[in-house]
Each structure stands twice: as structure tokens, then as C-alpha cells.
Amino acid sequence: MKGYECYSRRLMWVFSVCLLTALMAGCGGSGGNGSWGGDASPGATKAISDFSLEGFTGTINETEKTIAVTMPFGTSVTALVATSTTTGTSVKVGTTVQISGTTANDFTSPVLYTVTGVDRSRATYTVTVTIAAVSAKAMTAFSLAGVAGTINETAKTIAVAMPSGTNLTALVATFSTTGAGVKIGATIQSSGTTANSFVSPVTYTVTAADDTTAAYVVTVTIAAASAKAITAFSFTGVSGTINEPAKTIAVAMPFGTNVTALVATFTTTGAGVKVGATVQASGKTANSFAQPVIYTVAAADGTAAAYTVTVTVAALLKANPVAPVLGETARFVMLASQRVTTTSGSLIYNGDIGIIDLARSAYAGFTAGASPGQFTELKNGLSYAPDDMPPFTYPSPYASSIAFINQVRTDLGNANSFLAADPNPGAPTQVCPIELGKLVLTRGVYKTAANVTIQTGDLVLDAQGDPNAVWIFSIGGTLSTGAPGGNIKLINKAQAKNIYWRTSSSTIIGAGKAFYGNVFAWSQVNVLAGANVTGRLFAVTDQVTLISNAVTKAP
């Protein structure tokens, strides 16, 4: 048996309320399925549309699927509760379903929120929490009735332009700050609770944890009675481009987007918006955008402006690679030539595990179950080895475990050789970057003779709406993932079962990381402490080592 190398493992104060007005987007509550609040429309599959922790608003980067939240100095981040809305059917952190306003998580390190769409595709958002400095006292967001204010941090001013006819005498602001408290005069401000008159400019004083202060002057203007512009327009975080002179709005959606029932989020200076005779509620009303749609904005003086909204769907890019035929290896979640070892705390789901070239005694760290081939760590699967004898059963039509294991060895070798072959029958070979962190890659064959890392950030694999999109990474050295990035994220219907990682050496999956795909490592597969794998782990000539991991075979 080959020796193996052991790799060591490595509150922004926000107040929120809704000013009751037809211009405001509806506030989502907790869904009936126990997931986060929101309307899961067919056209809006799996986006997180807003996110806050204990009332502190996060900044969502939809393209990179990241959410950044700044909490006040001194905040304990070990048990924060998120409130959010999503267009998906459920949200999980690990295997735990998240309930908006209820479920607590530890944000000492970045937390991955996985949103499942109505089509069972998934999107993963990385939530990172930072703690403001003791002297922090910035106003970072401000809105009235859903109308965002423009913050000039240098001048410490906030300008808000409200629709014609707005009553300024009792408006309630929604705002966020890095400070420890906010006052107007001697009155403590609670966003979502405290009403103020904005007939004249209002000064908000933000106090830091070190008792220093900053004063922001909020000035509210009223749009003219003739105002009737759409000032912002988006679908599930994808912003439209507004051409005000031409009164057109263009939105480019990802490949595969269902445009028959898209829900728009918009702001306007007018008194109301309709499509045909139907009143439009931002964030609520669905329309088909198979053809251009005309949004008519009515001004307070009875005049109107018509905006033509055109939605385009991106074309699918690149030829699709041909995936290897797995044969008998398809039933396995883990295979090793030499040994499969684990520490306590590992769980393996929905597949078999096998040792090809050594006896059953080469399993280490597992707890035997009640029947032959069962381990308590192995859920919905069996373990196999060449020396298994009756009454141990082996799959039909094989007459012995040796015959079965021999076929598995052949199929593993064939699949590995197919992945190493150049070119692939279905797609041309592309150069694989040696650092995959912070990249977004669409389907294809990626090859290099060098070592490859996923470290500077997370790797995003974008299927562009095609659930059959295939990725093949043929790596001539090692593959390793690790901090500060190191996660793999799947978007737009990408599936772990269609991702293949072939390495000529070892594959090391970093501690606490989320990894997707089928690994064909020529030598070792080492999964460090707390990492979660969805896919398969195959060590062609050596061993697979787990350290308190969850490994689930991709369906």
C-alpha cells in the first residue's frame, strides 16, 4: 500500500419599515413551506432579492452571488438571524432549511446560502459579515417609501426626490448606518417606526461607539405634477438599461430564462403605473415578456408616458463536451485502489463505496453496521472489497465480488482515460487557468499540465440555463482548494453530476469548503476537515481520506 500524506485543516444599525404607498414594493413574509419569504414566480427562480441580519441590510452582488453585511462595533456574530426574501422555493445553509426571521447562524466565517428554484436548480450566495470600527458613523442607505436617497458622503447630504403629491409631513425612513445610534435633535430614530416632517431639511446625527458623531442633512424634493419617469427597473436583480429620451428599457436575461411570468421591481416619479388596464405593483405583478411590454406611467396632472420594455435572453455559449461513460462506477460515491479512511463525524450519502486492490481491512475509521457491507457512516449505500465472500451479496449479474470489482476497475480506467483524451468528441479544448478563484466558467473542456488552485476566491460554474451543460477539467498536476476562497458555486441550472475533475496527481479539498463534481485523481483524494462534497471521489491508484466531511453522490 502506498503511504499517504496527511494534510492539516486548516449590528450596521438598520431600521426598516414600509410607508404605505402604492409605489412601494410589497414586504415578503415567511413562506408557507418554511423557507424564506417571497413570491416564487416561474420567471424568477432562485434569487435572494434582499437580505438583512438583525435588521442590518446586506449589499447583494447578484453577478458574483455575494452578500456583504456590516455590523456595528461590538456585535457578536455567532448567532445572527437573517431576514430576507427569495424567488426560490427554499433556502438552506448546509442541510438546514432557513426560516426568515427565525433561523440563527454563526457568521464568524462566510456562510453559504443555497437557494433552490422551482425547477430544482440551485444558486449559492456567500454571505460575509464584517464588524465596523469603533469610530464608524456613516449613513450607508436611506429611503422614503421605497424611493432611495442619494448619499453624498463627503458633503454629508442625502437627497430624496418623491413623486408629485407626496405628503412630506409624516414620512418614515428606512436607513442603515455603521454607527451605534441615530437621533434627530434629542429624539432617537428607529427606522420603520419614527415619523418626521421633511417639509424642511432634516439633520440626522449618527453616533459612533466611541461617542463621536456625524451629521447628515436630508433634503426631500417633490416631483412636478407632470413627472412620470421610470427611474429604475429590474428582474430578480438583473437591472434594465433605461433610455429616457427614447422611453425604452432593455433587460438582458440569462440563457434559459422563462420570460412568460417575470416580475419587475421598479421605481417611478409618477402617481401610478399600468400595463394595459392592469395596475402594476413593484415586486408583485407578473407579465409575459415574450413580446415587448408597454408600461404606462401616469403623472399627477393626468398626463402619461409610455415605456417599452424589451427582454432578451442570452444565447447558449460554447459546444457541450461529451461526458464519460461511467459504467459500474456510476453506483459509487467513493472508490479507491488502496484505502478509504475517515474520522468520526463523516457522513456519506446515496452511493456505494469501494476498495479495488486491497482487502476489506483497508477501510479505516468506519463503524460496521448490522449487515455485511454496511457502515453507520454510509447512508443509502454499501461498501465493497475484492475479498468479500458469501453471505455478502454483490450486484447482478456478477458471480463473485472479484468479477464485480474487476469490472469496476475496468470502467474506472476507461472513464479516466476518456477524460484525459484530447480532443473531446463534443467540444474543443481550452486552456485551464492555474487559478480558478473569482472566475465564472461556462461549459467546456479546460486543460493544463500545471497544478491548479481555487484559492483567491470562489469558482462559479454557469450552465446558462442548460441543465445538461458539462465541464471537464483535465489537470496535469494537483488540484487544491482553500482559503480565502476555495468554494465552487453552481448557477443557472449547473449540476454537480455533469462536472468532472481529472488530475494526474492528488486532489485536496480545503477545510470547510463546498465542492461540486466528480473527482478522478490518479493518486490521492484528501478532503480536509468540515468540507462538503457533492459528486464522486475516485482515487485511481491510491486512497481517499475524509476528515469529518459530508459527501453526497450527485444524482
Side-chain angles (χ1 to χ4, degrees):
M1 182 190 74
K2 296 183 180 180
Y4 69 96
E5 183 176 1
C6 178
Y7 289 83
S8 61
R9 74 169 96 171
R10 324 217 255 196
L11 254 162
M12 183 176 18
W13 183 24
V14 141
F15 311 86
S16 59
V17 74
C18 300
L19 177 67
L20 300 178
T21 173
L23 294 176
M24 180 177 177
C27 299
S30 180
N33 60 2
S35 63
W36 286 4
D39 294 335
S41 69
T45 56
K46 49 183 180 296
I48 293 178
S49 51
D50 63 72
F51 186 97
S52 62
L53 291 171
E54 310 289 351
F56 302 94
T57 303
T59 300
I60 301 175
N61 184 320
E62 181 60 30
T63 302
E64 295 189 4
K65 294 291 188 293
T66 60
I67 302 174
V69 189
T70 301
M71 307 296 285
F73 176 80
T75 299
S76 172
V77 299
T78 58
L80 296 178
V81 176
T83 301
S84 187
T85 57
T86 176
T87 57
T89 59
S90 69
V91 178
K92 291 183 178 181
V93 171
T95 59
T96 303
V97 174
Q98 303 295 294
I99 300 175
S100 179
T102 300
T103 313
N105 290 287
D106 184 352
F107 290 87
T108 303
S109 300
V111 176
L112 302 181
Y113 281 73
T114 300
V115 185
T116 300
V118 293
D119 58 358
R120 298 187 180 180
S121 61
R122 295 177 296 179
T124 300
Y125 290 77
T126 301
V127 179
T128 302
V129 174
T130 56
I131 302 299
V134 65
S135 60
K137 47 185 176 289
M139 190 76 81
T140 55
F142 190 97
S143 64
L144 296 169
V147 179
T150 301
I151 301 175
N152 184 321
E153 180 58 32
T154 302
K156 294 291 189 295
T157 60
I158 302 174
V160 189
M162 301 299 291
S164 175
T166 301
N167 183 350
L168 301 185
T169 60
L171 292 178
V172 178
T174 299
F175 58 87
S176 59
T177 173
T178 59
V182 178
K183 290 183 179 181
I184 293 178
T187 303
I188 294 174
Q189 300 298 293
S190 177
S191 174
T193 302
T194 314
N196 292 286
S197 173
F198 290 87
V199 173
S200 299
V202 176
T203 300
Y204 280 70
T205 301
V206 184
T207 301
D210 65 358
D211 291 330
T212 58
T213 61
Y216 289 77
V217 177
V218 178
T219 303
V220 178
T221 57
I222 300 294
S226 59
K228 45 186 176 287
I230 291 178
T231 54
F233 191 97
S234 65
F235 295 121
T236 64
V238 179
S239 296
T241 301
I242 301 174
N243 183 323
E244 183 56 34
K247 294 292 189 291
T248 60
I249 302 174
V251 191
M253 301 299 290
F255 173 83
T257 300
N258 178 3
V259 300
T260 61
L262 291 176
V263 177
T265 300
F266 58 88
T267 57
T268 175
T269 59
V273 180
K274 290 183 178 180
V275 170
T278 304
V279 174
Q280 303 294 293
S282 176
K284 288 289 186 182
T285 313
N287 292 286
S288 174
F289 290 84
Q291 303 293 331
V293 175
I294 296 175
Y295 279 67
T296 301
V297 184
D301 66 359
T303 59
Y307 288 77
T308 301
V309 179
T310 302
V311 175
T312 56
V313 177
L316 181 63
L317 301 178
K318 299 181 182 177
N320 203 28
V322 174
V325 175
L326 297 181
E328 288 294 354
T329 66
R331 67 187 300 126
F332 288 90
V333 60
M334 288 195 298
L335 279 172
S337 166
Q338 302 293 301
R339 292 171 62 86
V340 179
T341 68
T342 187
T343 63
S344 62
S346 289
L347 291 173
I348 305 163
Y349 298 95
N350 302 334
D352 298 331
I353 62 177
I355 291 175
I356 296 175
D357 296 317
L358 292 182
R360 173 165 289 276
S361 59
Y363 286 109
F366 290 90
T367 305
S371 300
Q374 289 184 342
F375 291 135
T376 58
E377 294 85 1
L378 181 57
K379 312 297 182 181
N380 303 320
L382 291 173
S383 64
Y384 294 94
D387 61 336
D388 291 331
M389 300 292 289
F392 192 94
T393 58
Y394 31 82
S396 176
Y398 301 99
S400 67
S401 57
I402 288 293
F404 173 54
I405 292 296
N406 283 342
Q407 186 61 55
V408 172
R409 181 188 295 105
T410 297
D411 291 343
L412 177 62
N414 289 341
N416 186 68
S417 296
F418 179 89
L419 292 171
D422 190 5
N424 180 276
T429 300
Q430 305 170 72
V431 175
C432 180
I434 61 173
E435 172 55 61
L436 295 176
K438 296 184 179 180
L439 298 183
V440 178
L441 299 180
T442 55
R443 64 190 191 178
V445 179
Y446 299 87
K447 185 174 183 178
T448 180
N451 297 330
V452 171
T453 58
I454 308 173
Q455 187 170 7
T456 59
D458 296 334
L459 169 64
V460 177
L461 301 181
D462 183 357
Q464 299 176 291
D466 181 6
N468 298 313
V470 171
W471 289 261
I472 295 175
F473 295 89
S474 184
I475 298 168
T478 62
L479 168 67
S480 57
T481 76
N487 297 293
I488 298 174
K489 299 180 180 180
L490 309 184
I491 64 173
N492 295 327
K493 300 186 179 181
Q495 299 191 71
K497 68 179 182 180
N498 296 329
I499 304 164
Y500 298 88
W501 302 91
R502 175 221 160 246
T503 65
S504 295
S505 184
S506 298
T507 296
I508 305 110
I509 299 172
K513 300 306 174 183
F515 186 92
Y516 292 89
N518 306 292
V519 173
F520 288 74
W522 184 250
S523 55
Q524 299 178 13
V525 179
N526 290 277
V527 188
L528 303 186
N532 293 324
V533 177
T534 303
R536 296 177 173 89
L537 302 176
F538 296 161
V540 180
T541 67
D542 208 323
Q543 68 178 27
V544 175
T545 302
L546 305 183
I547 305 175
S548 300
N549 309 114
V551 183
T552 304
K553 190 185 81 170

